[in-house]
Structure formats: structure tokens, C-alpha cells
Amino acid sequence: LLTAPVNFEFGGFRGSMNSWRDFGKWNYELIKGQDVLPSDEVSNIKELVSETSDEKAKIKLLYEYMQSRTRYVSIQIGIGGWRPAPAEAVSKNGYGDCKGLANYMKAILNAAGIESFYTLVSFGEKMDKYMDFVSASFNHVILCVPVRKDTIWLECTHQDLPFNYLATDTDDRYALLISSEGGKIVRTPKFIKEDNIFKRIGDITLYETGSSLMNLTNIYSGSFYTFSHMSFSTKSVSEMRKILDQGIRFYNFSLNSVSYNENKNDKPSARFVYSLSVNDMTTKMQDRIFFNPGLDKSGYIGETEPFDISVARSEIRTDSICYYLPVGYKPDYVPEDVKLKTDFGQFICKFEVSEEKVLFRRHFELDECKLSKDKFQQFRDFINAIAQADHRILILSRTKKSLTT
């Protein structure tokens, strides 16, 4: 049961939730007059962008200017939970909450003659199903900047996020754009499948002793960039190892080296490069070596009562790993290639074999969907078929020449 007042007063500001337009007018009254900057800062801002005529380049410069001068501090006292701090105070103190920082960014753009809009959005859980019911359901503020043939979205609380990038906590959902005319429902950008790619490449050298040396690179883009940025961008080597512990199926390994770099262009991406020495990669029995070429902890969906399933975003995950075989060994059994195609996505697993190496390729696409209980078994069969393919074993045998030697 949802409830909300039609008419209300809070902190001396009267408002109405009769419509999103009316609720937006109340929010506009809260921010009106809060975007005044000191005259010397206005002069600095104008000088900063004076050498470029490209509007998007100006906005990027000013966004990075704001990021370099501020940090996030939550402020939720009284009307301060709704009304942003004055831009002049944020500039002087160097901190603010989402409201204060978005309002400060708005003031910076205004000083450069660029129009922008203070925008309410739900951070985390989407509130889309409640949009027919006007209420104070938004919990975050971002900035919307219309430019010619495009719209720029600015997340102002992260001082190291790329320009014009909304993370997975605020993407693809309804938001309330605030102007003097009131509130207008808009939708934030959506990550498309072709951008949401996790790609892992590298080589693994196997030794007869059961150990292996892995040199791998994980490449993250689209929604996966959010994960990599939040996971690795400020982490120490020991913290990165803990993250690897959670994702890689091996337990007995040492981390030889690790590095993390980001490319903050129009489509941000990141590279996580690491080298591992793994002691439990293979099992040796007499003249044969057994190993699973998959690197992830793929799980089965067990027997359970059917339930509705929601996949929030389409995505693509790929592996291209070259296994260098131990000296004196050759492939004896290689699993068959697998190709699965369903209404939910597709899965391809292939092996390319030579005497000294095996190239393992894995491609998994999962499509955004909302499935009712009657589709549960089909989805379960698809996921379990992938898990079965991921658990298969490849067998190596000692060559006759090696046995003779």
C-alpha cells in the first residue's frame, strides 16, 4: 500500500503531489536561488572554457573541474534532505551531498552560459512500477545537460567517474527533470547488449607437476565497467586478490602481478591484467593429465519450485584462452563443441587443437527478459546446460616418444 499527501508543507515550503509537474514545482522552489557562485569563480570558469567553442568539450572541462574540487558528504537534516546547499557554500567547503554537488555543477555550467537541469532519480532499486503514483520516491540527484542532437548525463557524487557515464545504479529508469515549469518524467540512458561486454583473453602454461602459470587480461565495458571501477579502481593488491578469490574457481594460487587501467573515453572501458601461479589446475593419473579449461565457478539451478525470473540487462561474456601443454603430452580427449540458442540467449564453446596447445573459446550471451513461472524450466535447462558444458574435462596423454625416452 502506497500513500502520499496531495498537499503538504515541509521546511516552510508548500507543495503538492497532485501530479509530477506539481511535485517538480515544489522541488524547483527548493533549488531557486541556490546556484549563485562567487564572482571570482565565475571569472575563472569563463576563462577555463574560453579557448574552446565545442559545447560538449566545455561541459567535460567543467565537469572535471567540479570533480577536482569536491567530495561527497551525505547531508540529511530537516529540509536539507531535500534542499541543496548553496553552490557558494559547496565551492567554499569542497564537499556536498548529491543535491549540493548537482546544484554546484548546475551553477558552474550556468556561469559558462550552458543550460542544465537538476534531475531526481532512484538510486539502486528502480521505482518504474510506481510512476503512476506521485510520491517522494526518488532518493538521488543527477544533472541532465541537453546539447545539440544529444543529451549529457552527469553523476556528480563520484570524483573519478568518466564524463557522461551513468553507472548501473541510475541507468535505464524514470527520472524527474526539474524546471521552472515543474517536473517532467524522462528516462536515463540504457546500456545496450553490444556495449555490455566482459572479455577475458590470455595464455595458460600447464606443467606435468599439476601447476600452471596464467597470464590473463579481463576487459570490461558498458555495465561491466561499473563493476570493474567499483571493484578495482582504488584497491590494493591484497584486496584485488580477495576479489579474484570470489570469481576464480581455484583455491591454491599465488598472485604474481596485477595492474588495473581505465580508458575514460566516450565508451569507458577497463583492463585488469594479472598473472597467477596455480597449484591445483590439473590432476595427474599415471600417464594422463586431467583438467577443466573453464575458469569460472559456473553453478547449476537445482530442483526448486518455479519462480518468476528477471534479467535486468543484456550482456556478452567471452573467453579466448590458449593452453600450452606440458612437454611430452598431447590431447587425448577433447570435449565436443557446444552450441545452444534459446529465447533467453546463446552459448558457444569451442576447442581448437594442435599437438602443443589447445585454444579454448567460450561465448555466452544473456538477453534482458522478464519470465513468468511457466518459462522457468526452459531457463533452468539453458543455465544447467551451460554449467554442464563448463564442467567438462579435457584429457592429455603422454606421447609414445616421451614414454620411450
Side-chain angles (χ1 to χ4, degrees), residues 147-269:
V147 295
R148 187 178 181 182
K149 296 182 179 180
D150 199 3
T151 302
I152 291 170
W153 297 88
L154 301 178
E155 169 58 67
C156 301
T157 60
H158 289 273
Q159 274 54 62
D160 52 1
L161 269 186
F163 170 70
N164 196 22
Y165 181 85
L166 293 185
T168 53
D169 287 316
T170 52
D171 77 306
D172 187 28
R173 65 199 64 206
Y174 288 116
L176 188 65
L177 186 147
I178 307 300
S179 74
S180 59
E181 297 179 356
K184 179 182 179 182
I185 294 295
V186 295
R187 194 159 188 96
T188 60
K190 177 179 181 177
F191 291 109
I192 61 173
K193 181 167 71 172
E194 291 73 20
D195 289 338
N196 295 340
I197 298 176
F198 169 74
K199 182 178 182 181
R200 180 166 45 202
I201 57 177
D203 58 78
I204 299 177
T205 302
L206 304 176
Y207 300 101
E208 188 176 7
T209 58
S211 63
S212 63
L213 176 63
M214 300 183 175
N215 294 300
L216 303 171
T217 299
N218 296 354
I219 303 172
Y220 306 88
S221 62
S223 61
F224 286 109
Y225 172 80
T226 298
F227 166 81
S228 68
H229 180 80
M230 299 305 177
S231 298
F232 302 121
S233 62
T234 60
K235 298 297 190 296
S236 65
V237 171
S238 62
E239 289 172 321
M240 290 183 187
R241 187 208 151 89
K242 290 179 182 178
I243 296 169
L244 285 171
D245 279 336
Q246 297 169 5
I248 285 187
R249 63 180 178 83
F250 308 106
Y251 299 99
N252 187 3
F253 73 85
S254 59
L255 183 61
N256 302 322
S257 63
V258 62
S259 65
Y260 176 77
N261 296 287
E262 295 185 353
N263 182 4
K264 297 183 179 182
N265 57 14
D266 288 342
K267 292 189 175 182
S269 62

Side-chain angles (χ1 to χ4, degrees), residues 94-108:
Y95 63 80
D97 61 5
C98 63
K99 304 180 299 297
L101 294 172
N103 180 66
Y104 177 48
M105 186 66 220
K106 185 176 185 300
I108 291 171

Side-chain angles (χ1 to χ4, degrees), residues 327-328 398-405:
V327 175
R398 191 187 295 272
T399 62
K400 291 183 180 180
K401 181 179 179 181
S402 179
L403 285 169
T404 303
T405 304

Side-chain angles (χ1 to χ4, degrees), residues 193 311 313-315 344-345 364-368 379 382:
K193 181 167 71 172
V311 178
R313 294 175 186 84
S314 300
E315 61 180 41
F344 326 116
F364 176 36
E365 294 186 23
L366 188 61
D367 294 329
E368 176 186 349
F379 184 82
F382 176 54

